[in-house]
Every structure is written in C-alpha cells, then in structure tokens.
Amino acid sequence: MKMIFRWYPEANAIDLGYIRQIPGVKGIAGELPVAVGEIWALDDILAVKSQVEKSGLRLEVIESVKVHEEIKLGRKSRDLYIDHYIATIKNLGKAGIQVVCYDFMPVFDWMRTDAERLLPDGSTALAYDDEVVKKKDPLDGDFALCDWETVYSSNELEKLFKCYESVGEEGLWENLEYFLKAVIPEAEKAGVRMAMHPDDPCWPVFGLPRIITSEENIDRFLAIADSPYNALTFCTGSLGCSDDNDLPRLIRKYASADRIAFGHVRNVKRLSGRSFEESAHYSKAGSLDIVEIMKAYYDAGYEGYIRPDHGRRIWGEKGGAGYGLYDRALGAVYLSGIWETLEKVNK
C-alpha cells in the first residue's frame, strides 16, 4: 500500500513540506489548474512534478483530469474533446504518472448541502441533507449548495438539465462506453491506469442520472473494457453513503481482480433517509468500519495508492472545506497505523 495525500498546486496550497512531515505519506495526488477540455502540456506537468519531488515526495497520481460535458452528453464535438483527453493522458504517461482519477457525473461531481455542519466536538464537516435537496430548485437564482453552481449561469444550467432529460441513464451509459473504448487502449499504451471515481452521493440528484453507484453498475462499467487500465478509484465515502454497499466485500472482490488502482478512505455518518455527514476517519466516529475496510485491502494483497479523503475543519483551521491539513493528516496516520498492525499481526 502506498499512502499519498491530495494536494492542490495553487497560491494558497498546503505547504508540501508540511505534507512531507506526515508519517507514512510518500507522495501526493496532484493536478494542474487547466480548463476542462484543454490539453495538459508536458512541460507544465513536469514543472509540477519537479516541485513535488524537491520536497521529497512523489507525484505518480493525478486527480483529476475532468471529462468535458460534451462527452457525457454524446454531442458531435465529443471527438475533439476525447482527442484532447488522450493527448493529456499521453503527456502524463511521458511524465511517469501511473494513475488518473476521474468521474462521469453529469453537470457537477460531488454534492453537499452544508460545508460547515457543526459536530458535537466543535469541529465542522461537509454534510448532505436530502430534505434540503428535495426543496431546492437548482435553477433558482439564489441556489447555492456547492461550488459547482458558480461554473454555469442559470440559463446554462437549465439547458444542461434539459439535455440530460433526453440522454437519460441508458444514454449516459452509451456515452461512457464510447469514451472508454476510445481512451482505454491509448491509456494502456501510455502506461496510465484510468481510475473511475464513484458518484457522490451514490444516487440521482435533482433528477440527473448517476451510474457508478453500486456493485451491479460497477460490474457493468468494468466489463466495458476488461483491462486493468480500466479500473476504479474506490471511494468509501461515496459508496458508503448507502448501506446497500458492503464495502469490505467489494474491496476484496475488485482489489483481488486488480481493478482498484486508487483508494479514497474516509468515514461518513449515515443519518435518517438519504442524509449523512462526514466524520473523522476513526471508525467509531461514523458508520463505516475503517479497520475492516483496510483489512479488506490487506487481505486482497493491495499494493496500490491510498489516501485519506475529506477531513473536518479542526483546531481553528481555515481553507477549503474537506481539504485542510490537520484532520486529513490524522486520517493518514490512522490508516497507516491500521496497516502496520495488520502487517505485524499477520507475520
């Protein structure tokens, strides 16, 4: 298992030197601030890689190369954007990148209704309240649940929602298949594993189709291109929103088959209905048994990348919700401690 840490190369980025001080963390999952659909230049990738390596860390995972909406909608212009995507994958391969995390969620990726839910211990966390979603109109001018709504105007959103009504769930599957059949062969040549992130949360939101949500759908996705280069970013927080998903069993199944290229490990506390709040990684803080999750990876002989996922805001830390330093650092050490224990017990 290779423990890494999510990092954004921005002006207010977490200092790489601080990340280097987290015991067990050997690398980062990085990105470039490139507009969706544009080609990532090799020189720019190498510049970020050099910056990371100077801090004593490795850059072997990219998160994420976003898929353009034209591809998801299956429009005529998708071939141009697929060509750009392939060119980016080739450049990443030349730079020594091993894994690319991406998703195929329409319009927005993750959805939360609260970025600062106050928890009993005084920390704050991301949360999702299904009743709030039911009462909200995403086309309302004062709609504000996540950062994604700032990307589109109300008119653009309305057009996108209407387009996805006609695409539907099966149409989205068809467009994903078209994308995979074009990209996976090129990713194999480039030596880059494509790691699909599940939908977050793992059910339709505002009527938009979501398809990477369950064992049945993951099986269907993996069967489109039966290759270790068509793999998963197995996110316990996304799939763990629903108690229908038996996470340890699914990890054993897919990791044993070498179809997990990247693991996001975080905890969520399920509330009534389809509502939840994110919690500390510690098992008893939420609804997921993190020890059993890590044991499933260990039992499957997993040698890939894992990172602590979203963290709470603790100790007065400011910054982007879910991606501060302190709580994710605690998560990384907790996960590494579980792994070390498993190794020693099994010797």
Side-chain angles (χ1 to χ4, degrees), residues 92-113:
L92 291 169
K94 291 174 184 176
I97 301 303
Q98 303 294 306
V99 174
V100 165
C101 170
Y102 72 108
D103 69 72
F104 215 76
M105 289 178 259
V107 185
F108 52 88
D109 45 24
W110 59 272
M111 167 56 68
R112 299 292 184 271
T113 59

Side-chain angles (χ1 to χ4, degrees), residues 213-216 218-219 232 234 239 244-256 260 296:
T213 57
S214 63
E215 180 177 10
E216 178 183 2
I218 291 173
D219 287 346
L232 293 167
F234 195 97
L239 293 170
D244 291 336
N245 292 321
D246 183 341
L247 302 182
R249 187 181 66 78
L250 294 180
I251 289 168
R252 286 185 174 88
K253 173 180 176 178
Y254 297 123
S256 296
I260 298 179

Side-chain angles (χ1 to χ4, degrees), residues 1-6 23-29 58-61 98-99 193 258 260-265 294 297 301-308 332 335-336 339 343:
M1 183 269 291
K2 305 181 185 80
M3 181 62 66
I4 61 175
F5 204 81
R6 182 72 165 97
V25 172
K26 302 299 183 184
I28 63 113
R58 296 193 295 265
L59 176 62
E60 296 174 346
V61 179
Q98 303 294 306
V99 174
R193 298 188 74 183
D258 194 22
I260 298 179
F262 190 16
H264 287 184
V265 181
M294 294 302 289
Y297 275 112
Y302 183 70
E303 297 180 345
Y305 302 92
I306 282 179
R307 73 164 175 83
L335 300 178
S336 294
W339 195 267
E343 288 181 325

Side-chain angles (χ1 to χ4, degrees), residues 112 119 125-126 235-238 240-241 247 264-270 276-291 293 307-312 327 331 334-335:
R112 299 292 184 271
L119 302 182
L126 294 161
C235 179
T236 62
S238 301
C241 296
L247 302 182
H264 287 184
V265 181
R266 61 179 163 91
N267 206 346
V268 294
K269 185 176 182 179
R270 301 188 199 106
F276 60 88
E277 59 190 22
E278 298 186 358
S279 69
H281 287 74
Y282 182 51
S283 293
K284 291 183 179 179
S287 301
L288 307 184
D289 190 333
I290 302 300
V291 173
I293 284 168
R307 73 164 175 83
D309 205 359
H310 301 169
R312 304 162 296 149
D327 199 40
Y334 177 59
L335 300 178

Side-chain angles (χ1 to χ4, degrees), residues 5 13 52 86 95 103 107 128 136-137 168 182 197 203 210 214 218 288-289 299 303 325 333 344:
F5 204 81
V52 171
I86 290 170
D103 69 72
V107 185
Y128 179 95
K136 277 285 186 180
D137 180 358
H197 191 289
W203 50 71
R210 292 199 161 197
S214 63
I218 291 173
L288 307 184
D289 190 333
D299 290 345
E303 297 180 345
L325 172 64
V333 175
K344 290 195 172 183

